[in-house]
Amino acid sequence: MTETVTLADIEAARDRFDDPAIVRQTPIETNRSLSTMSGADVHLKMEHLQRTGSFKTRGAYNKLKQEAEAGGDKHVVAASAGNHAQGVALAATTVGLESTIVMPENAPQAKIDATRSYGATVELHGSTFGEAMSHAKSLAEEPGMLFVHAYDDPDIVAGQGTLGLEIYEQVPDVDTVIVPIGGGGLIGGISTALKSLDDSVRVIGVQAELASTVHESLRKGAPVDEESPKTIADGIATGSISELTLGLIEENVDEVVTVSDDDIARAILTVLERAKQLVEGAGAAAVAAMLSDQVDVEGETVVPLLCGGNIDMSMLQTVLTHALT
């Protein structure tokens, strides 16, 4: 691995967060119901309350603010199933750069509309994230274009890692932090920050069963792709990780588990009923893992990360009906 991310990189990223209207420190709230259900002292990290509804603005703003300060008048290009799209769009507009976001044709309409509202041009291409990614990369080959990867970029990972600093400061006695995994940028950054501050903190990653790439990647020692990831947790349905994020996971993550779509649907409903918070599938994955029999947190102080709240209303209706049934 030629690139990595350090605690110093993450601290420098947080120093760049100079406008709470773009990136804010999100609250942590204890939850009695989830604590009773899990046998742990549960503190929910409410990152879904970020302006764009997810953590993605952190990495995008960290990268694009540096690009703007360097004087580059570039046109930003990114590929995303939704949340990275919004983060890049808001960050680019804020620092004065134009942006084009390529999204799969089946991306949730709410995320498409939100991305456009932050100032980006949206192109719909392909039926999978991989097809959207390939098209975005082809656009970025033109002169003056800057491709912003969702997770295979140290600046992006460092920005996401600022969540680890916040969690440790807000819950200094934390035993376990549970983090959803898509491409690995979020858990790569958070685990780097937490393990650098206190190596005893346990970091558990969560993937959707039908979009799981980490176990096989760890076994082979190289990134393994899933060509057609299918899950209600579209925010973590990347179907791939990178050498950068795999290296950080190998170094800093204690355990990776998978959860079914049924588990995720039940977690969305549970969080809505018991915490009065509306989260998307990716945002509920950490709670799904905590409530499963795969993760033992009894007697611990645990922080599940609610990483996103951008759920399409038609998807919400389907998920809640399924969970209630």
Side-chain angles (χ1 to χ4, degrees):
M1 186 177 68
T2 58
E3 295 180 307
T4 191
V5 175
T6 66
L7 179 62
D9 296 327
I10 295 169
E11 292 173 333
R14 185 163 68 169
D15 289 341
R16 296 186 185 100
F17 296 165
D18 54 0
D19 186 350
I22 308 303
V23 178
R24 60 176 293 218
Q25 176 171 301
T26 48
I28 280 187
E29 293 187 5
T30 57
N31 188 273
R32 183 178 302 173
S33 295
L34 289 173
S35 295
T36 299
M37 295 167 72
S38 64
D41 180 17
V42 177
H43 299 250
L44 296 173
K45 178 59 172 170
M46 319 284 268
E47 187 64 8
H48 65 297
L49 300 181
Q50 203 64 255
R51 175 176 169 184
T52 59
S54 87
F55 66 94
K56 290 290 191 176
T57 315
R58 293 175 183 263
Y61 190 59
N62 181 49
K63 180 174 183 65
L64 295 181
K65 188 176 182 187
Q66 294 178 78
E67 290 288 339
E69 289 175 346
D73 185 19
K74 297 180 178 178
H75 187 112
V76 175
V77 180
S80 172
N83 288 336
H84 179 60
Q86 295 174 66
V88 170
L90 176 60
T93 300
T94 300
V95 301
L97 299 176
E98 294 185 352
S99 61
T100 296
I101 311 296
V102 182
M103 306 176 76
E105 294 170 353
N106 58 359
Q109 189 63 44
K111 294 184 179 182
I112 296 171
D113 294 342
T115 302
R116 287 177 173 145
S117 75
Y118 292 128
T121 298
V122 175
E123 289 192 19
L124 301 180
H125 184 90
S127 59
T128 67
F129 174 74
E131 291 173 350
M133 173 74 79
S134 296
H135 183 62
K137 286 183 175 180
S138 68
L139 294 178
E141 292 175 356
E142 298 296 323
M145 306 294 266
L146 172 68
F147 183 72
V148 180
H149 200 284
Y151 51 87
D152 191 18
D153 186 315
D155 288 332
I156 295 293
V157 174
Q160 324 301 30
T162 58
L163 267 164
L165 302 180
E166 289 182 19
I167 290 170
Y168 192 72
E169 291 166 359
Q170 291 171 309
V171 190
D173 60 344
V174 61
D175 295 307
T176 297
V177 177
I178 307 177
V179 184
I181 303 177
L186 178 62
I187 198 168
I190 288 177
S191 63
T192 298
L194 289 171
K195 292 296 187 179
S196 299
L197 294 167
D198 185 350
D199 189 61
S200 70
V201 177
R202 183 170 59 145
V203 181
I204 297 177
V206 188
Q207 287 202 296
E209 281 182 355
L210 299 180
S212 176
T213 56
V214 174
H215 282 302
E216 188 67 8
S217 297
L218 290 171
R219 189 181 71 81
K220 291 190 173 182
V224 173
D225 294 343
E226 170 58 58
E227 290 186 4
S228 302
K230 296 178 181 178
T231 171
I232 61 172
D234 59 279
I236 53 174
T238 59
S240 62
I241 57 176
S242 68
E243 290 188 8
L244 168 65
T245 56
L246 178 61
L248 294 172
I249 290 170
E250 287 178 320
E251 183 176 357
N252 298 311
V253 176
D254 296 281
E255 185 180 358
V256 177
V257 301
T258 60
V259 291
S260 68
D261 274 12
D262 284 349
D263 294 331
I264 293 170
R266 283 192 292 269
I268 292 172
L269 178 59
T270 300
V271 171
L272 185 58
E273 286 184 328
R274 303 293 181 146
K276 307 300 183 280
Q277 300 295 324
L278 178 60
V279 294
E280 61 186 281
V287 172
M290 182 184 69
L291 297 179
S292 74
D293 57 7
Q294 298 186 64
V295 177
D296 182 10
V297 293
E298 187 170 356
E300 295 186 355
T301 298
V302 59
V303 178
L305 176 60
L306 305 183
C307 64
N310 296 315
I311 187 167
D312 184 84
M313 289 301 103
S314 60
M315 173 63 78
L316 176 62
Q317 182 178 17
T318 300
V319 167
L320 293 184
T321 300
H322 180 74
L324 286 166
T325 301

